[in-house]
PDB file of all heavy atoms in Angstrom:
ATOM      1  N   ASP A 406       8.449  -6.100   0.472  1.00 98.00           N
ATOM      2  CA  ASP A 406       8.085  -5.428  -0.720  1.00 98.00           C
ATOM      3  C   ASP A 406       9.166  -4.748  -1.439  1.00 98.00           C
ATOM      4  O   ASP A 406      10.287  -4.685  -0.818  1.00 98.00           O
ATOM      5  CB  ASP A 406       6.946  -4.412  -0.335  1.00 98.00           C
ATOM      6  CG  ASP A 406       6.509  -3.588  -1.609  1.00 98.00           C
ATOM      7  OD1 ASP A 406       6.137  -4.282  -2.631  1.00 98.00           O
ATOM      8  OD2 ASP A 406       6.363  -2.336  -1.643  1.00 98.00           O
ATOM      9  N   SER A 407       9.003  -4.329  -2.599  1.00 98.00           N
ATOM     10  CA  SER A 407      10.063  -3.565  -3.324  1.00 98.00           C
ATOM     11  C   SER A 407      10.324  -2.287  -2.640  1.00 98.00           C
ATOM     12  O   SER A 407      11.385  -1.637  -2.863  1.00 98.00           O
ATOM     13  CB  SER A 407       9.717  -3.414  -4.835  1.00 98.00           C
ATOM     14  OG  SER A 407       8.522  -2.454  -4.743  1.00 98.00           O
ATOM     15  N   PRO A 437      11.605   0.481  -8.722  1.00 98.00           N
ATOM     16  CA  PRO A 437      10.536  -0.322  -8.814  1.00 98.00           C
ATOM     17  C   PRO A 437      10.938  -1.707  -9.404  1.00 98.00           C
ATOM     18  O   PRO A 437      11.852  -1.817 -10.202  1.00 98.00           O
ATOM     19  CB  PRO A 437       9.530   0.360  -9.722  1.00 98.00           C
ATOM     20  CG  PRO A 437      10.432   1.171 -10.559  1.00 98.00           C
ATOM     21  CD  PRO A 437      11.655   1.656  -9.722  1.00 98.00           C
ATOM     22  N   TYR A 438      10.252  -2.727  -8.907  1.00 98.00           N
ATOM     23  CA  TYR A 438      10.486  -4.074  -9.363  1.00 98.00           C
ATOM     24  C   TYR A 438       9.651  -4.204 -10.756  1.00 98.00           C
ATOM     25  O   TYR A 438       9.929  -5.120 -11.579  1.00 98.00           O
ATOM     26  CB  TYR A 438       9.992  -5.101  -8.384  1.00 98.00           C
ATOM     27  CG  TYR A 438      10.898  -5.513  -7.320  1.00 98.00           C
ATOM     28  CD1 TYR A 438      12.078  -4.694  -7.022  1.00 98.00           C
ATOM     29  CD2 TYR A 438      10.641  -6.557  -6.530  1.00 98.00           C
ATOM     30  CE1 TYR A 438      12.949  -5.132  -6.049  1.00 98.00           C
ATOM     31  CE2 TYR A 438      11.469  -6.963  -5.451  1.00 98.00           C
ATOM     32  CZ  TYR A 438      12.606  -6.097  -5.162  1.00 98.00           C
ATOM     33  OH  TYR A 438      13.438  -6.524  -4.129  1.00 98.00           O
ATOM     34  N   GLY A 439       8.541  -3.489 -10.917  1.00 98.00           N
ATOM     35  CA  GLY A 439       7.580  -3.680 -12.009  1.00 98.00           C
ATOM     36  C   GLY A 439       8.231  -3.829 -13.393  1.00 98.00           C
ATOM     37  O   GLY A 439       7.839  -4.607 -14.208  1.00 98.00           O
ATOM     38  N   CYS A 469       3.990  -7.869  -2.248  1.00 98.00           N
ATOM     39  CA  CYS A 469       4.330  -7.145  -3.445  1.00 98.00           C
ATOM     40  C   CYS A 469       3.653  -8.060  -4.533  1.00 98.00           C
ATOM     41  O   CYS A 469       4.010  -9.202  -4.620  1.00 98.00           O
ATOM     42  CB  CYS A 469       5.862  -7.156  -3.686  1.00 98.00           C
ATOM     43  SG  CYS A 469       6.415  -6.484  -5.159  1.00 98.00           S
ATOM     44  N   ASN A 470       2.837  -7.442  -5.300  1.00 98.00           N
ATOM     45  CA  ASN A 470       2.151  -8.199  -6.376  1.00 98.00           C
ATOM     46  C   ASN A 470       3.122  -8.731  -7.446  1.00 98.00           C
ATOM     47  O   ASN A 470       2.940  -9.788  -7.966  1.00 98.00           O
ATOM     48  CB  ASN A 470       1.106  -7.367  -7.017  1.00 98.00           C
ATOM     49  CG  ASN A 470      -0.101  -7.057  -6.131  1.00 98.00           C
ATOM     50  OD1 ASN A 470      -1.075  -7.742  -6.118  1.00 98.00           O
ATOM     51  ND2 ASN A 470      -0.042  -6.039  -5.384  1.00 98.00           N
ATOM     52  N   THR A 471       4.107  -7.813  -7.718  1.00 98.00           N
ATOM     53  CA  THR A 471       5.031  -8.140  -8.877  1.00 98.00           C
ATOM     54  C   THR A 471       5.867  -9.385  -8.477  1.00 98.00           C
ATOM     55  O   THR A 471       6.060 -10.290  -9.179  1.00 98.00           O
ATOM     56  CB  THR A 471       6.030  -6.900  -9.111  1.00 98.00           C
ATOM     57  OG1 THR A 471       5.197  -5.789  -9.161  1.00 98.00           O
ATOM     58  CG2 THR A 471       6.717  -7.119 -10.357  1.00 98.00           C
ATOM     59  N   THR A 513       1.585  -3.151 -11.950  1.00 98.00           N
ATOM     60  CA  THR A 513       2.850  -2.833 -12.525  1.00 98.00           C
ATOM     61  C   THR A 513       2.951  -3.577 -13.975  1.00 98.00           C
ATOM     62  O   THR A 513       2.189  -4.495 -14.116  1.00 98.00           O
ATOM     63  CB  THR A 513       4.074  -3.292 -11.719  1.00 98.00           C
ATOM     64  OG1 THR A 513       4.093  -4.741 -11.567  1.00 98.00           O
ATOM     65  CG2 THR A 513       4.026  -2.637 -10.295  1.00 98.00           C
ATOM     66  N   VAL A 544       4.124   3.889  -9.076  1.00 98.00           N
ATOM     67  CA  VAL A 544       5.068   3.393  -7.977  1.00 98.00           C
ATOM     68  C   VAL A 544       6.143   4.401  -7.659  1.00 98.00           C
ATOM     69  O   VAL A 544       6.440   4.896  -6.541  1.00 98.00           O
ATOM     70  CB  VAL A 544       5.700   2.098  -8.188  1.00 98.00           C
ATOM     71  CG1 VAL A 544       6.811   1.778  -7.233  1.00 98.00           C
ATOM     72  CG2 VAL A 544       4.582   0.968  -8.152  1.00 98.00           C
ATOM     73  N   CYS A 580      -1.344  -3.550  -6.973  1.00 98.00           N
ATOM     74  CA  CYS A 580       0.013  -3.261  -6.571  1.00 98.00           C
ATOM     75  C   CYS A 580      -0.169  -2.619  -5.169  1.00 98.00           C
ATOM     76  O   CYS A 580      -1.036  -1.833  -4.946  1.00 98.00           O
ATOM     77  CB  CYS A 580       0.570  -2.206  -7.542  1.00 98.00           C
ATOM     78  SG  CYS A 580       2.114  -1.454  -6.869  1.00 98.00           S
ATOM     79  N   THR A 581       0.702  -3.040  -4.244  1.00 98.00           N
ATOM     80  CA  THR A 581       0.477  -2.666  -2.823  1.00 98.00           C
ATOM     81  C   THR A 581       0.734  -1.173  -2.685  1.00 98.00           C
ATOM     82  O   THR A 581       0.505  -0.580  -1.577  1.00 98.00           O
ATOM     83  CB  THR A 581       1.245  -3.553  -1.854  1.00 98.00           C
ATOM     84  OG1 THR A 581       2.666  -3.614  -2.375  1.00 98.00           O
ATOM     85  CG2 THR A 581       0.632  -4.902  -1.804  1.00 98.00           C
ATOM     86  N   HIS A 582       1.413  -0.510  -3.631  1.00 98.00           N
ATOM     87  CA  HIS A 582       1.694   0.895  -3.408  1.00 98.00           C
ATOM     88  C   HIS A 582       0.416   1.763  -3.701  1.00 98.00           C
ATOM     89  O   HIS A 582       0.218   2.871  -3.380  1.00 98.00           O
ATOM     90  CB  HIS A 582       2.755   1.314  -4.522  1.00 98.00           C
ATOM     91  CG  HIS A 582       4.192   1.081  -4.236  1.00 98.00           C
ATOM     92  ND1 HIS A 582       4.560  -0.282  -4.139  1.00 98.00           N
ATOM     93  CD2 HIS A 582       5.159   1.858  -3.798  1.00 98.00           C
ATOM     94  CE1 HIS A 582       5.976  -0.078  -3.868  1.00 98.00           C
ATOM     95  NE2 HIS A 582       6.256   1.072  -3.606  1.00 98.00           N
TER      96      HIS A 582
HETATM   97  N1  LIG B1705       4.284  -3.009  -4.424  1.00 90.13           N
HETATM   98  C1  LIG B1705       4.840  -3.557  -5.567  1.00 90.13           C
HETATM   99  C2  LIG B1705       3.633  -4.325  -6.198  1.00 90.13           C
HETATM  100  O1  LIG B1705       2.722  -4.712  -5.484  1.00 90.13           O
HETATM  101  C3  LIG B1705       5.449  -2.532  -6.511  1.00 90.13           C
HETATM  102  C4  LIG B1705       6.291  -3.100  -7.483  1.00 90.13           C
HETATM  103  C5  LIG B1705       7.296  -2.240  -7.964  1.00 90.13           C
HETATM  104  O2  LIG B1705       8.334  -2.006  -7.306  1.00 90.13           O
HETATM  105  O3  LIG B1705       7.155  -1.842  -9.128  1.00 90.13           O
HETATM  106  O4  LIG B1705       3.611  -4.749  -7.329  1.00 90.13           O
END
Side-chain angles (χ1 to χ4, degrees):
D406 179 45
S407 64
Y438 281 8
C469 174
N470 291 266
T471 314
T513 66
V544 170
C580 171
T581 52
H582 282 73

